[in-house]
Amino acid sequence: MASGSGRYLRYLLVTFFIFAVLYFISSSSKPREHLQTASDIIREQNEKWRGYYDQTTAPSAGATEGHHPKASSQPAPPTSPNTVAGLPNAAADGPRMNATFVTLARNSDIWEIARSIRQVEDRFNHRYNYDWVFLNDMPFDDTFINITTSLVSGKTKYGEIEKEHWSFPDFIDQDKAKKVREDMAARKIIYGDSVSYRHMCRFESGFFFRQPLMNEYEWYWRVEPSIELFCDVHYDPFKYMADHKKKYSFVLSLYEYAETVPTLWDSVKKFMKTHPEHIAQDNSLAFLSDDGGDSYNHCHFWSNFEIGNLNWLRSPAYLDFFESLDRDGGFFYERWGDAPVHSIAAGLLLQKEEIHFFNDIAYYHVPFTHCPTGEQTRLDLKCHCNPKDNFDWKGYSCTSRWFDINGLKKPDGYEAEMD
Ligand SMILES: Nc1nc2c(ncn2[C@@H]2O[C@H](COP(=O)(O)OP(=O)(O)OP(=O)(O)O)[C@@H](O)[C@H]2O)c(=O)[nH]1
Ligand SMILES: [Mg+2]
C-alpha cells in the first residue's frame, strides 16, 4: 500500500511539472510577440502626440478665439512654467535700505499678528526679505517666536522692554492718575481705565525707536495685529522715503477723541515757546490747527501704520519734544495717544515735504480702510478692497485737509467716495 501510494505521488509530481513547464513557455512567449525596440516605443508615442496636436490645434468648424481644445482621451501635454511676463520677480533687484518692520505685541496677540505678517509678506516682503523686530513688556513665549519666525522672510528679533520704558515715571502722582482712570471709566472713554494702554502709548511715543534692537536700523515700518494690506506693493517704500527725503508717512488720518487729550495742545504750545529752534520753517501747523496755532483741531495721522525714519525720532528735536510732553504728565493724567504725539511732532518739527501720504498702500485697521482712489491703480496693484470703504474723503478724515494745505491735487474720482 505504501509503495502504491508513493508511485501515485510520483505521477502527480511529474504531471504538475509538465503543466508548469508548458505554462511558463506559453506565458513568456506572449509578450515576446509585442516586444518592441526603444525606437518603436518612441515612434508610437510620437504618433499619439501628433494626433493630439492635430486634433486640438486644427481650426474646426465654428471655432472661435478662446475656445478650449476639445476633450480628448489622449494624455494631456506636459505643463510648462508660467511665463514671467506680468508677474513680479521672485526677489526684487536693487539695494536694500537699513530697515525693519517693528511690532509691539503680547504673546496673546500671536494669531492676530500672524495674519498681519502673512499679508505683509504676501503683498510685499517676500520679495524684499526685510527683518522684523518684535517688542514686548514680557518675555515672548515659544509659540510666538516659532510662528512669527516661520512667517517672516527676513530675520526676526525679539526684545524685552526694560521696566523704565514701561512703568510710571517717579514724577507721576499715582493717586491722581488712578482718579483719572476711574473718572474716564465712568465716562466710558475708550481704554480710559487702562494702565497698560497708557504704558503702550507712552512707549510708542518715546521709546520704541531707542530699544537696543532698533538702534541697528535707520527705517521702520510699524505693523499691528489684525491689519490688512489690500494691494501689492511693487516697490520698496523704504527706498522711496530715502530717495525723496521723507521722514514720516501715513495712509489714514482722522480726528482724535477730544476727551483723551484736553491739555495736549497747551503742552505743545509750551514746547514751541521753549524750543523755537526745533520748529521747522515750512511746517504743517495748518494741518493741526485752524486758528494759527491757538488751538488743536485734533487731526492726526493714524500711527498704527507708519513708515518712518528712526534717526528723526532719535534726534534732539524729537527727544526734547517727547521729554517736554512726558514731564507734563498727560500720558497718565489724561490718555494721550502716540498717534497725536507723533503727528504733532511730524507736523511741527518736519518740513511739509518730509511727510508722505502713501495712496498706493491699501490698509485696514479696525474700523477704517484706506483703499486707493483711482480704478487703474487698484487694478494694477491687484487690490481686493472695496473703494466704497475708502475713508480718505469722508467727513471724519483729515486727509482732504492734508491735500489742501499742501496744494496737492486730489486723485480723480475722489468726489464719488465722499459719502
Ligand atoms: N506687549 C504689549 N503690547 C501691547 C499691550 N497693549 C497693546 N499692545 C500692542 O500695542 C499695539 C497697539 O495696541 P492696540 O490694542 O492695537 O491699540 P489700538 O490700535 O489703539 O486699539 P485696537 O482698536 O484695539 O487695535 C498693538 O501692536 C498691541 O499688540 C501690552 O500691554 N503689552
Ligand atoms: Mg491696534
Side-chain angles (χ1 to χ4, degrees):
M1 189 66 189
S3 74
S5 66
R7 200 178 311 126
Y8 183 57
L9 194 63
R10 258 201 312 279
Y11 282 138
L12 258 183
L13 278 173
V14 169
T15 316
F16 175 75
F17 179 70
I18 291 166
F19 271 109
V21 169
L22 283 173
Y23 176 75
F24 176 72
I25 291 167
S26 76
S27 64
S28 61
S29 71
K30 254 186 208 153
R32 201 159 292 168
E33 283 169 20
H34 295 276
L35 195 68
Q36 295 169 305
T37 60
S39 58
D40 288 339
I41 294 170
I42 289 167
R43 196 174 315 113
E44 194 174 281
Q45 286 181 350
N46 284 348
E47 284 309 310
K48 273 188 189 163
W49 288 119
R50 194 166 301 118
Y52 176 80
Y53 280 113
D54 288 349
Q55 203 179 5
T56 54
T57 56
S60 59
T64 55
E65 225 183 298
H67 260 190
H68 291 290
K70 278 189 241 159
S72 165
S73 58
Q74 304 287 343
T79 49
S80 57
N82 282 330
T83 58
V84 289
L87 292 176
N89 294 332
D93 301 330
R96 297 292 184 271
M97 301 293 102
N98 181 16
T100 184
F101 289 93
V102 59
T103 294
L104 172 70
R106 295 154 287 214
N107 287 312
S108 58
D109 291 318
I110 180 57
W111 298 112
E112 297 308 318
I113 194 62
R115 283 174 42 199
S116 302
I117 295 170
R118 186 71 228 194
Q119 300 216 14
V120 171
E121 286 290 335
D122 288 351
R123 288 302 198 168
F124 167 70
N125 202 40
H126 70 286
R127 298 179 60 227
Y128 289 87
N129 313 140
Y130 278 110
D131 294 352
W132 206 305
V133 172
F134 294 92
L135 301 170
N136 191 353
D137 56 309
M138 312 277 277
F140 280 114
D141 62 25
D142 288 348
T143 306
F144 192 100
I145 292 172
N146 292 341
I147 288 165
T148 50
T149 303
S150 81
L151 289 170
V152 175
S153 59
K155 280 194 222 110
T156 49
K157 301 179 186 181
Y158 302 87
E160 190 177 337
I161 299 161
E162 60 186 276
K163 274 283 157 287
E164 290 66 41
H165 295 171
W166 195 279
S167 51
F168 291 96
D170 51 15
F171 53 82
I172 292 295
D173 176 342
Q174 297 272 345
D175 290 337
K176 184 174 164 186
K178 187 159 178 268
K179 286 200 182 84
V180 168
R181 293 197 299 276
E182 286 163 1
D183 173 60
M184 284 197 172
R187 291 193 287 142
K188 298 200 176 352
I189 292 172
I190 184 165
Y191 297 119
D193 60 342
S194 172
V195 174
S196 67
Y197 194 86
R198 285 181 170 80
H199 289 318
M200 180 275 285
C201 291
R202 181 168 175 262
F203 175 80
E204 292 286 21
S205 298
F207 301 105
F208 86 90
F209 49 83
R210 39 182 161 155
Q211 297 304 294
L213 290 176
M214 296 301 287
N215 286 338
E216 295 174 29
Y217 299 99
E218 186 187 354
W219 300 95
Y220 73 102
W221 180 334
R222 174 170 165 182
V223 177
E224 283 207 1
S226 315
I227 60 110
E228 293 196 54
L229 282 192
F230 297 109
C231 305
D232 285 349
V233 182
H234 277 176
Y235 63 97
D236 183 345
F238 295 121
K239 185 160 187 315
Y240 178 91
M241 300 275 293
D243 289 349
H244 295 84
K245 300 191 172 22
K246 306 287 182 187
K247 296 277 166 54
Y248 191 79
S249 65
F250 71 100
V251 288
L252 282 159
S253 70
L254 69 161
Y255 293 94
E256 180 59 298
Y257 298 114
E259 300 90 337
T260 65
V261 288
T263 69
L264 175 58
W265 197 252
D266 293 337
S267 192
V268 169
K269 284 199 285 193
K270 196 168 96 187
F271 166 80
M272 289 199 273
K273 241 192 185 144
T274 46
H275 285 289
E277 76 280 12
H278 290 326
I279 308 301
Q281 282 244 299
D282 187 22
N283 60 51
S284 311
L285 181 66
F287 178 70
L288 304 165
S289 173
D290 297 346
D291 49 20
D294 224 26
S295 65
Y296 181 34
N297 62 20
H298 300 112
C299 275
H300 64 286
F301 308 122
W302 219 22
S303 62
N304 47 65
F305 168 98
E306 280 178 334
I307 299 176
N309 186 288
L310 292 160
N311 289 341
W312 168 56
L313 293 173
R314 294 187 285 240
S315 69
Y318 185 85
L319 292 176
D320 285 347
F321 176 78
F322 170 72
E323 204 180 312
S324 174
L325 265 52
D326 194 34
R327 285 265 154 195
D328 289 337
F331 289 107
F332 298 102
Y333 300 145
E334 297 180 2
R335 208 224 63 194
W336 295 352
D338 53 280
V341 171
H342 284 186
S343 305
I344 293 171
L348 298 179
L349 310 179
L350 296 178
Q351 310 287 336
K352 269 192 205 136
E353 319 78 67
E354 292 178 309
I355 303 175
H356 182 62
F357 168 61
F358 277 110
N359 182 46
D360 46 9
I361 299 186
Y363 176 81
Y364 170 81
H365 175 295
V366 65
F368 300 117
T369 296
H370 164 67
C371 186
T373 306
E375 189 183 4
Q376 198 52 51
T377 303
R378 293 193 300 271
L379 294 175
D380 290 347
L381 301 180
K382 303 184 185 350
C383 303
H384 70 278
C385 52
N386 183 342
K388 287 204 185 110
D389 295 336
N390 184 27
F391 182 66
D392 297 353
W393 317 113
K394 310 253 190 283
Y396 204 62
S397 165
C398 293
T399 300
S400 209
R401 177 189 297 266
W402 175 256
F403 272 69
D404 292 342
I405 71 147
N406 283 287
L408 299 170
K409 184 182 174 295
K410 291 175 191 151
D412 288 344
Y414 85 95
E415 294 96 336
E417 296 177 3
M418 286 174 75
D419 21 58

